[in-house]
Amino acid sequence: QVQVVESGGGLVQAGGSLRLSCAASGRTFSMYAMGWFRQAPGQEREFVARINWNGGSTYYADSVKGRFTISRDNTKNTVYLQMNSLKPEDTAVYYCAAERRPFGLGNSGDFGSSGQGTQVTVSS
């Protein structure tokens, strides 16, 4: 089981940038695809971005494509989400999680537990 801790959220004006971090421990981090998700008040959790186990493949939700970049540093057991050109509709709690099966692309939809999340608030 990979345990994760998300950080890096905050309050930013529209058009600004933030970089989120997800520090992982437990199973061998480098074996697992990672995903970022978000949940706005009153809404269901939604997929944001994913990266495969070695960082060679990424995929984004249409709503963030071209603005967000997911990356990972397997030497630091950390995955990042660089968020640029932020919009008020990006306001949410952001979570990360590891795909349950090793050496995947992150497209199985089967992810483990997230941490407490990190709040991102974008003001207009």
Side-chain angles (χ1 to χ4, degrees):
Q1 186 77 5
V2 174
Q3 290 81 42
V4 297
V5 177
E6 303 92 344
S7 63
L11 173 64
V12 64
Q13 289 188 330
S17 298
L18 283 173
R19 189 177 81 155
L20 306 184
S21 297
C22 170
S25 61
R27 298 180 299 179
T28 305
F29 171 77
S30 61
M31 293 172 57
Y32 296 91
M34 298 294 295
W36 280 100
F37 305 85
R38 66 187 181 186
Q39 187 167 19
Q43 298 187 21
E44 294 186 355
R45 187 173 296 193
E46 65 173 0
F47 165 79
V48 175
R50 56 176 163 84
I51 187 167
N52 77 323
W53 62 278
N54 67 359
S57 175
T58 59
Y59 185 81
Y60 300 89
D62 287 344
S63 59
V64 306
K65 198 173 298 181
R67 300 187 298 121
F68 291 11
T69 302
I70 189 171
S71 62
R72 66 190 297 160
D73 185 340
N74 285 346
T75 67
K76 297 181 178 179
N77 282 13
T78 302
V79 62
Y80 304 98
L81 186 68
Q82 177 67 43
M83 306 187 297
N84 298 329
S85 302
L86 283 161
K87 304 175 181 180
E89 51 263 44
D90 295 318
T91 295
V93 179
Y94 283 71
Y95 303 89
C96 66
E99 190 175 39
R100 293 187 191 275
R101 63 187 177 102
F103 304 116
L105 290 174
N107 59 350
S108 69
D110 186 17
F111 285 80
S113 300
S114 299
Q116 295 297 310
T118 186
Q119 176 71 50
V120 171
T121 303
V122 184
S123 63
S124 57

